[in-house]
Amino acid sequence: MLTKVLKEIAAGELKSKEEICKKLSLSESMLEGIMDQLIQMGYIEQTNGELSCDCSGCTGSCHCSNIKMNMWTISQKGKSILNK
């Protein structure tokens, strides 16, 4: 299951934890545990990200301005596992 979660993160698409849970039939707590393991093993790294609005002259009323989120990236070690 670790490899399946790693592949989902590596797919490069912006996905929520809920989407990954649904696709892999996992509970959110199980996914959290797997992601913690992947971090501890050095396969993924957590970063804080921010999306900014592309709206011209946005007032923020569209709720897309400066959305903060946790994001995960695949480390070199993680990439080497996926390439095997």
Side-chain angles (χ1 to χ4, degrees), residues 28-46:
E28 193 165 336
S29 63
M30 184 174 275
L31 178 62
E32 292 276 340
I34 290 170
M35 292 180 85
D36 286 343
Q37 281 184 288
L38 290 170
I39 290 169
Q40 289 174 356
M41 295 168 79
Y43 295 152
I44 63 173
E45 299 167 348
Q46 184 175 357

Side-chain angles (χ1 to χ4, degrees), residues 10-43:
E13 300 168 0
L14 200 57
K15 294 179 186 169
S16 68
K17 286 183 182 178
E18 292 81 16
E19 290 172 309
I20 294 172
C21 287
K22 186 176 180 180
K23 183 167 183 180
L24 300 178
S25 300
L26 297 171
S27 68
E28 193 165 336
S29 63
M30 184 174 275
L31 178 62
E32 292 276 340
I34 290 170
M35 292 180 85
D36 286 343
Q37 281 184 288
L38 290 170
I39 290 169
Q40 289 174 356
M41 295 168 79
Y43 295 152

